[in-house]
Amino acid sequence: MGGGGGSLGREPKVKRGSFATKRKKKKRVGFVLDMTPLVDIAFLLLTFFMLSTTLTTPQTMEMSVPPETENVEVKQSELLTVLVRDDGQIFKYMGDKNTEKPMKVSVKELRAVSVTENMRMENKLIMSLRISPKVPYDLVIKVLDELNIAETEITQRLSAKGMKRERKFALTPMTPEDVEDLKPL
Amino acid sequence: MGGRIKKKRPGFYLDMTPLVDIAFLLLTFFMFTAKFKSDTENEQKFKITRPVASADTSKLPDKDLATIKIGIDSVTGDTSYYYSLSNETDRKIVYSSDKVQIPDEMRQKVILKVDIKNLEALLRQTRMANIRMRFAIDADKRIAYKWIEDLMEAMRKSNATVFNFVTDRQN
């Protein structure tokens, strides 16, 4: 800071508040604190913490299984079965499999299927999800995700009608019968 | 070479105060939000690629959490269950239980590599030790559903009927 410039700027200040500024410390002209090392260290730490923080926190998807003692009897007419085969193909059928032929659906269609069937049955529908043990976990989550999205839509639509959503889908083990049924499809 | 060096201008001064202010502000922010690797992650020898799910899911709690990991070992390629607890006090009680059949040197670890039978015993002991415990399943997306199915059966048997699947956010 130039000494001449400093003194020029100070002149009117002293005049303006001559009484009040008496106790104030005079700003030292030409005093410079070299902040470069401070800034260096600050930025070093800043970059370290910026890079070490993970911004993507994992999320969760809640699931529940019925307790062991509970054994729910289901009417066949109220049952929608969704099957996921070894190769990842998804099939669904409503009610009795002897009268209804399993139909192929895609992961994307599953949401619409769940919503329409649940709305048709109005809370009475029970969805049984049977997944083959060989299906990759990735697909399982995709299917569950679609059904969860459908669930929020169903809850919304039912509450618009003044009803409370009660039944959800259940994961049930795949039977050897199911495997046989799916083979020719 | 010497000729190219600029002469330092005498009396030139750049006011760095606002810069320092902002730098320290950001520094404190990142320092407080930084989360360091937990003991569990330090012992873990495998990496889990989580499946993705849509938003509207809740975050994972920090305490009272039991995590069941299903990971594929990066060296041997074996899939196995790994069990860990977030609370140290619960960990001491549960890991030292005689209902769990694991070698004694393993009981000191944070993360346990267990089979399905011991896992069920661990889950049961955990439920007894801390009733508020929440369960999370953190599995690799490549594993077969069989691992999940067996695990869910074990959870049903040990009365841990509510649990969470750990997923990553969809981009």
Side-chain angles (χ1 to χ4, degrees):
Chain A
M1 227 180 262
S7 66
L8 252 171
R10 295 194 81 78
E11 278 296 319
K13 231 187 192 171
V14 179
K15 264 185 193 165
R16 217 193 304 143
S18 54
F19 195 75
T21 45
K22 250 181 193 166
R23 294 190 61 200
K24 256 191 196 167
K25 249 189 188 169
K26 237 195 210 167
K27 207 176 181 181
R28 267 190 280 171
V29 181
F31 173 74
V32 171
L33 179 73
D34 188 16
M35 278 198 265
T36 327
L38 180 79
V39 175
D40 286 351
I41 298 297
F43 271 97
L44 185 80
L45 288 169
L46 180 60
T47 31
F48 167 73
F49 280 107
M50 264 176 80
L51 294 176
S52 65
T53 24
T54 42
L55 289 169
T56 46
T57 44
Q59 302 183 101
T60 63
M61 180 192 275
E62 199 171 286
M63 272 298 297
S64 57
V65 285
E68 217 177 13
T69 48
E70 209 171 292
N71 218 337
V72 198
E73 282 297 317
V74 191
K75 268 190 227 160
Q76 268 209 326
S77 57
E78 291 171 355
L79 188 73
L80 171 70
T81 313
V82 175
L83 300 139
V84 187
R85 203 164 65 174
D86 288 2
D87 58 355
Q89 304 250 45
I90 304 162
F91 300 89
K92 60 125 193 178
Y93 63 85
M94 189 67 211
D96 193 4
K97 67 172 173 226
N98 295 321
T99 49
E100 292 277 327
K101 217 176 154 10
M103 269 195 4
K104 205 178 132 182
V105 281
S106 71
V107 184
K108 289 265 136 47
E109 284 163 356
L110 212 53
R111 191 190 310 184
V113 168
S114 172
V115 172
T116 46
E117 292 295 337
N118 270 293
M119 290 316 291
R120 195 167 61 82
M121 301 291 290
E122 287 190 331
N123 247 348
K124 282 209 182 74
L125 186 88
I126 289 188
M127 222 166 139
S128 163
L129 187 60
R130 298 182 190 174
I131 304 169
S132 159
K134 281 181 193 149
V135 169
Y137 177 56
D138 196 22
L139 181 69
V140 178
I141 288 294
K142 266 189 199 131
V143 169
L144 290 176
D145 196 31
E146 287 299 319
L147 294 179
N148 272 335
I149 296 167
E151 206 61 41
T152 40
E153 204 177 321
I154 295 159
T155 315
Q156 265 173 16
R157 284 207 199 174
L158 282 178
S159 64
K161 283 186 179 180
M163 273 185 281
K164 210 172 157 274
R165 173 78 175 146
E166 278 158 14
R167 276 170 181 164
K168 280 184 93 173
F169 55 87
L171 279 164
T172 27
M174 207 175 216
T175 58
E177 258 177 79
D178 293 327
V179 181
E180 284 303 311
D181 288 341
L182 292 178
K183 252 183 195 160
L185 296 165
Chain B
M1 264 216 12
R4 291 189 62 199
I5 292 173
K6 258 188 188 166
K7 229 198 225 168
K8 211 175 181 183
R9 270 189 278 168
F12 172 77
Y13 173 69
L14 180 72
D15 189 15
M16 277 197 263
T17 324
L19 178 79
V20 175
D21 286 352
I22 298 297
F24 270 98
L25 187 81
L26 287 169
L27 179 61
T28 31
F29 169 73
F30 280 107
M31 263 174 80
F32 281 115
T33 52
K35 239 182 116 187
F36 289 97
K37 265 190 178 178
S38 60
D39 297 345
T40 322
E41 280 166 72
N42 267 338
E43 269 186 29
Q44 190 176 310
K45 287 186 196 71
F46 52 90
K47 199 180 178 323
I48 287 176
T49 352
R50 298 192 180 103
V52 285
S54 58
D56 119 279
T57 33
S58 47
K59 289 263 158 63
L60 214 58
D62 286 334
K63 52 174 199 169
D64 291 338
L65 182 74
T67 317
I68 304 111
K69 290 191 177 171
I70 311 173
I72 303 170
D73 198 298
S74 46
V75 184
T76 55
D78 292 341
T79 311
S80 183
Y81 292 111
Y82 298 87
Y83 193 71
S84 62
L85 292 171
S86 61
N87 305 12
E88 212 179 323
T89 43
D90 292 329
R91 207 183 291 152
K92 270 188 193 132
I93 301 165
V94 175
Y95 287 13
S96 56
S97 164
D98 56 351
K99 295 272 195 321
V100 188
Q101 273 118 35
I102 47 167
D104 279 339
E105 67 266 21
M106 251 176 87
R107 295 184 195 267
Q108 300 303 317
K109 286 194 174 172
V110 177
I111 183 162
L112 301 180
K113 187 178 172 178
V114 283
D115 57 4
I116 191 75
K117 241 187 149 170
N118 276 320
L119 185 63
E120 202 189 310
L122 277 169
L123 288 168
R124 192 163 287 155
Q125 293 305 313
T126 311
R127 285 279 297 172
M128 276 188 226
N130 187 348
I131 198 76
R132 283 164 308 169
M133 195 64 86
R134 308 237 332 229
F135 295 90
I137 300 174
D138 193 359
D140 197 289
K141 68 178 189 184
R142 293 165 294 171
I143 62 147
Y145 176 64
K146 186 188 173 298
W147 292 89
I148 305 288
E149 203 173 27
D150 292 348
L151 175 59
M152 287 201 296
E153 192 54 38
M155 299 200 81
R156 191 206 310 269
K157 278 185 194 156
S158 48
N159 251 325
T161 50
V162 180
F163 48 84
N164 297 278
F165 286 122
V166 183
T167 55
D168 266 341
R169 193 194 309 249
Q170 207 156 29
N171 289 321

